């Protein structure tokens, strides 16, 4: 009676111990994506699907807008999904945090920073609006994106955000590939 009971308890505890050996859960790792520049009013999709769990457990997501400009009323859509959206409503910095969980442990937070710009503004004073700079691929905060001595707005003469015949390339300091920078050729 007692001996068999002790053996049953011993067997059960050994079996239970064997089932739990090596099953310590690793916390998942959150990935909120890259920092970005956006235009005011542009809907940005934030994607946390690159977050990982070493144990292969399913993940749940929790996004939070932790910093935004004082006069902003922006919020996140679907903050408990792998992807959510943010539409910056005023210029400035927005910081979005992601924490993922695998029902056993939560990750450390990861953040993505968004710098929102007014599409009609010209922050670098080169004659191109932020919207045109985005279209051209130039930097709206750098008057001369390719450092050839010619402001981006002079290189894009018709201010359409594209390189047209007769214009130099605001992304290439030597548009005609002759070994001389565009600014040097124009005597600037």
């Amino acid at each position: 009676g007692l001996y068999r009971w002790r053996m049953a308890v011993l067997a059960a505890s050994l079996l239970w111990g064997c089932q739990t050996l090596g099953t310590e859960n690793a916390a998942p790792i959150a990935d909120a994506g890259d920092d970005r520049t956006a235009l005011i009013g542009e809907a940005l999709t934030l994607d946390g699907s690159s977050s990982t769990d070493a144990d292969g457990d399913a993940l749940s997501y929790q996004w939070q807008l932790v910093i935004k400009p004082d006069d902003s009323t922006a919020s996140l859509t679907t903050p408990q999904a792998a992807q959510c959206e943010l539409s910056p409503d005023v210029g400035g910095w927005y910081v979005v945090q992601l924490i993922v969980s695998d029902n056993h442990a939560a990750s450390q937070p990861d953040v993505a920073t968004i710098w929102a710009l007014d599409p009609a503004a010209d922050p670098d004073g080169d004659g191109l609006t932020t919207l045109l700079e985005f279209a051209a691929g130039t930097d709206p905060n750098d008057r001369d994106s390719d450092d050839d001595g010619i402001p981006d707005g002079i290189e894009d003469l018709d201010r359409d955000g594209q390189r047209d015949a007769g214009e130099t390339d605001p992304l290439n300091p030597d548009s005609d590939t002759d070994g001389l920078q565009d600014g040097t050729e124009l005597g600037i």
Side-chain angles (χ1 to χ4, degrees), residues 108-159:
Q108 292 295 314
D110 189 41
V111 297
T113 302
I114 294 101
W115 173 240
L117 300 170
D118 180 348
D122 181 10
D124 59 10
D126 64 0
L128 296 177
T129 65
T130 300
L131 185 61
L132 287 174
E133 297 250 19
F134 271 50
T138 55
D139 183 348
N141 294 306
D142 184 350
R143 176 176 179 78
D144 181 11
S145 295
D146 62 1
D147 296 321
D148 64 356
I150 305 172
D152 298 338
I154 302 291
E155 294 197 76
D156 185 10
L157 292 171
D158 61 0
R159 299 204 179 11

Side-chain angles (χ1 to χ4, degrees), residues 2-132:
L2 184 57
Y3 174 76
R4 285 176 28 156
W5 180 81
R6 284 184 184 166
M7 292 304 291
V9 170
L10 178 61
S13 66
L14 286 174
L15 181 60
W16 180 78
C18 290
Q19 289 177 340
T20 61
L21 287 178
T23 60
E24 186 173 317
N25 183 66
I29 298 172
D31 184 348
D34 295 330
D35 297 341
R36 305 196 290 194
T37 302
L39 298 175
I40 294 171
E42 174 186 29
L44 292 176
T45 298
L46 302 162
D47 190 351
S49 64
S50 292
S51 301
T52 59
D53 183 73
D55 305 309
D57 296 330
L59 295 175
S60 59
Y61 300 81
Q62 185 59 56
W63 293 92
Q64 183 179 6
L65 184 56
V66 293
I67 296 175
K68 64 182 179 180
D70 289 337
D71 50 347
S72 173
T73 60
S75 62
L76 299 172
T77 63
T78 62
Q80 296 178 333
Q83 294 182 339
C84 72
E85 257 186 26
L86 169 68
S87 294
D89 56 347
V90 298
W93 292 103
Y94 294 77
V95 178
V96 180
Q97 173 183 281
L98 173 63
I99 296 175
V100 294
S101 173
D102 64 3
N103 289 330
H104 304 288
S107 69
Q108 292 295 314
D110 189 41
V111 297
T113 302
I114 294 101
W115 173 240
L117 300 170
D118 180 348
D122 181 10
D124 59 10
D126 64 0
L128 296 177
T129 65
T130 300
L131 185 61
L132 287 174

